[in-house]
Amino acid sequence: MTTLGSDPLQGGTSTEGDPVESLLEVLSLASTEARTTEDIFTGISLPMPYGRVYGGQVLAQAVVAASRTMDADRPIHSMHGYFLRAGDSSKGITFSVDRLRDGRSFSARRTQAFQEGVPIFSMIASFQTEDDGLEHVIPAPDVPGPDEISSPEGTGVHPMSRRRFGDLPIEVRHVDGSLYGADPVAPQPRQAVWVRSRREMPDDPLLHRAALAYLSDMTIQESILRAHGLTWMTPGGTVASLDHAMWWHRPVRVDDWLLYVQESPTSRGGRGLATGRIYTRDGDLVASVAQEVMVRAPKEILEERARAEG
């Protein structure tokens, strides 16, 4: 959960050094001898400014845990998960993987993440052998490239946010300007963001699929805020990810620039829906994402909108 008006960089760390190496360490889950009907793995968290586990991190770790029970020739192609409770980044996480089904082409796994015996995240994922089939892609939008966009670490950004940008393992560049400043933005329910890891990563395809899951939880909530002209620095509201779905379409490397195209089709009842498509720089669609988010707007803004509509 993030309170609007506070530092929005949930995926940032509070340690110095190589943030990509820190991410790789977090994704290197340890297996244990403990087992009932499930495979058990344990992991650590990136240090966080406010002590809460970043949702994209536990999502990526769950992908690694489930994938460790699969052969390499049957990669993950989809997942559906729920964020159940806020995790404590100072404590370890236990992942249990239930082998639901292994068919001729498809496999299914259920993964749950626990802290102190209580589930904080639950996911079901599907895996498939590589196969031939029909292919089509909705083209990527024509937007300025990452080299044409200035870094968000420049002027107009909250000083704490600017400092922590360098701690992120993922570099982020907003095509239409970031939401990390205090000035209102023109209302529009969409945005495009360039993302990549801050340095080259190992060639292991699983690491890149997991890292893509990690970054898929970054910025996607912002299409909901943009729809109402809000920024992360608008005081008085809260934002929290409720669930997350993701589909991997094609092989990907996260150390090359990726275009994350996001939009919000609707919000109502304190919830907003955000969807995203992730493209390579060459225009290949590598993944699709959907997330529902709890959005509690400041009371003053709700009253102002009600007066304007009434």
Side-chain angles (χ1 to χ4, degrees):
M1 180 181 296
T2 299
T3 301
L4 296 184
S6 66
D7 191 333
L9 296 182
Q10 302 178 69
T13 69
S14 59
T15 59
E16 297 181 356
D18 183 346
V20 175
E21 185 61 36
S22 297
L23 175 60
L24 294 176
E25 182 182 2
V26 163
L27 295 180
S28 300
L29 302 181
S31 59
T32 73
E33 298 299 325
R35 179 182 172 84
T36 54
T37 59
E38 300 172 329
D39 297 88
I40 306 297
F41 302 89
T42 60
I44 60 174
S45 292
L46 292 169
M48 299 299 297
Y50 299 106
R52 292 177 179 267
V53 174
Y54 163 55
Q57 174 207 296
V58 71
L59 194 162
Q61 290 173 309
V63 167
V64 171
S67 299
R68 292 266 291 272
T69 70
M70 301 296 308
D71 292 333
D73 63 352
R74 190 170 292 205
I76 190 171
H77 73 86
S78 69
M79 63 75 57
H80 300 259
Y82 283 88
F83 300 105
L84 303 176
R85 295 174 177 84
D88 185 340
S89 62
S90 68
K91 299 177 180 178
I93 306 176
T94 299
F95 296 88
S96 64
V97 181
D98 189 1
R99 304 188 183 207
L100 297 179
R101 177 180 182 270
D102 286 304
R104 185 171 62 181
S105 299
F106 289 87
S107 294
R109 298 289 187 266
R110 178 173 54 226
T111 304
Q112 294 201 92
F114 295 87
Q115 282 192 319
E116 299 184 324
V118 178
I120 64 171
F121 179 76
S122 181
M123 175 189 84
I124 291 183
S126 183
F127 300 76
Q128 183 195 10
T129 56
E130 293 293 338
D131 202 355
D132 295 328
L134 301 173
E135 290 199 22
H136 77 277
V137 169
I138 295 177
D142 186 11
V143 300
D147 298 332
E148 304 173 58
I149 302 171
S150 61
S151 168
E153 299 166 38
T155 59
V157 176
H158 190 278
M160 188 178 295
S161 297
R162 185 164 57 248
R163 176 174 61 83
R164 290 196 178 127
F165 269 112
D167 292 335
L168 288 170
I170 305 299
E171 186 175 358
V172 180
R173 297 190 181 184
H174 290 73
V175 171
D176 297 315
S178 78
L179 299 188
Y180 305 131
D183 296 333
V185 296
Q188 59 174 358
R190 61 186 60 85
Q191 70 173 12
V193 181
W194 288 100
V195 290
R196 70 173 177 184
S197 63
R198 288 197 173 270
R199 66 163 175 82
E200 186 176 357
M201 290 181 55
D203 292 334
D204 183 356
L206 172 56
L207 286 178
H208 288 268
R209 287 191 290 269
L212 193 70
Y214 175 93
L215 67 81
S216 71
D217 189 36
M218 297 175 64
T219 74
I220 189 170
Q221 306 88 354
E222 295 177 355
S223 58
I224 302 168
L225 298 180
R226 277 191 192 274
H228 300 278
L230 306 178
T231 76
W232 289 112
M233 302 313 298
T234 303
T238 56
V239 175
S241 303
L242 297 174
D243 60 14
H244 196 94
M246 185 169 180
W247 298 263
W248 289 258
H249 306 307
R250 292 169 178 82
V252 62
R253 291 194 66 96
V254 299
D255 46 14
D256 293 331
W257 281 113
L258 299 168
L259 180 64
Y260 199 174
V261 181
Q262 307 157 352
E263 64 180 4
S264 175
T266 186
S267 62
R268 183 184 181 277
R271 304 184 316 276
L273 180 65
T275 64
R277 302 192 306 274
I278 304 177
Y279 293 89
T280 66
R281 200 166 182 176
D282 294 331
D284 289 331
L285 180 62
V286 296
S288 299
V289 181
Q291 184 178 104
E292 190 170 40
V293 181
M294 184 198 76
V295 182
R296 305 243 184 245
K299 181 180 179 181
E300 295 77 7
I301 290 180
L302 292 177
E303 292 175 346
E304 180 182 341
R305 301 284 170 87
R307 288 194 297 269
E309 294 174 359

